[in-house]
């Protein structure tokens, strides 16, 4: 379910989707992100080299982490700013249980998601708040390619 926000200053766009914490959430999030980006041409004066598939990959990685490691509901947001940057935010109920995870080995099937996000994003991070049901937010900002 998406709910576009229309009361934004010129050049800023926002949309949100609520997802169930299940295996199909990642595919739903990728489709939502692709459809949103297709409908959001870059702002006037912004380079047209935006790498939409990079944005979709970041959405997928952050939602996958929420499905795999968090509890409670999941919410994903996309914000486009006038400079053409895209902020991806995935909010969840916080970690199910914290366990130290060693770095992924060369043949490991899991453990590379945040490294991928770091490679594609200009900046990224994770914030927590005491509010429920959404307790933790992972985010990344991707800038237009030049």
């Amino acid at each position: 379910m998406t709910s576009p926000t229309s009361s934004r200053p010129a050049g800023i766009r926002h949309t949100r989707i609520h997802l169930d914490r299940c295996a199909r959430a990642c595919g739903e999030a990728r489709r939502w992100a692709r459809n949103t980006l297709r409908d959001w041409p870059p702002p006037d004066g912004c380079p047209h080299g935006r790498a939409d598939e990079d944005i979709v990959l970041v959405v997928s990685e952050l939602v996958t982490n929420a499905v795999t490691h968090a509890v409670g509901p999941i919410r994903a947001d996309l914000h486009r700013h006038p400079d053409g940057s895209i902020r991806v935010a995935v909010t969840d109920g916080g970690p199910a249980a914290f366990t130290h995870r060693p770095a992924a080995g060369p043949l490991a099937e899991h453990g590379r998601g945040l490294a991928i996000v770091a490679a594609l994003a200009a900046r990224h991070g994770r914030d927590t708040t005491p509010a429920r049901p959404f307790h933790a937010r992972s985010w990344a900002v991707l800038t237009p390619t030049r």
Side-chain angles (χ1 to χ4, degrees):
M1 172 181 140
T2 61
S3 54
T5 304
S6 58
S7 60
R8 301 272 177 199
I12 296 179
R13 299 236 180 152
H14 171 248
T15 189
R16 170 177 289 165
I17 187 171
H18 292 266
L19 301 159
D20 293 326
R21 206 169 63 76
C22 63
R24 72 178 177 277
C26 300
E28 290 175 17
R30 284 190 298 271
R31 279 188 296 282
W32 164 77
R34 277 192 191 102
N35 291 338
T36 297
L37 294 168
R38 184 188 62 232
D39 294 341
W40 285 1
D44 291 340
C46 179
H48 292 278
R50 186 180 73 199
D52 288 358
E53 284 305 310
D54 289 351
I55 297 164
V56 171
L57 181 55
V58 168
V59 168
S60 182
E61 292 298 336
L62 295 180
V63 169
T64 297
N65 283 350
V67 167
T68 304
H69 304 293
V71 297
I74 299 169
R75 180 178 71 202
D77 292 90
L78 285 176
H79 299 267
R80 187 196 71 195
H81 297 276
D83 65 358
S85 64
I86 301 286
R87 179 180 167 91
V88 177
V90 175
T91 311
D92 56 53
F98 181 77
T99 57
H100 176 71
R101 292 179 184 85
L107 300 176
E109 291 183 26
H110 304 284
R112 292 183 183 80
L114 291 180
I116 291 169
V117 172
L120 296 174
R123 56 192 182 281
H124 68 98
R126 184 160 173 90
D127 309 318
T128 59
T129 66
R132 293 282 181 188
F134 297 109
H135 177 67
R137 177 179 49 237
S138 297
W139 57 269
V141 176
L142 291 89
T143 57
T145 57
R146 308 228 178 242

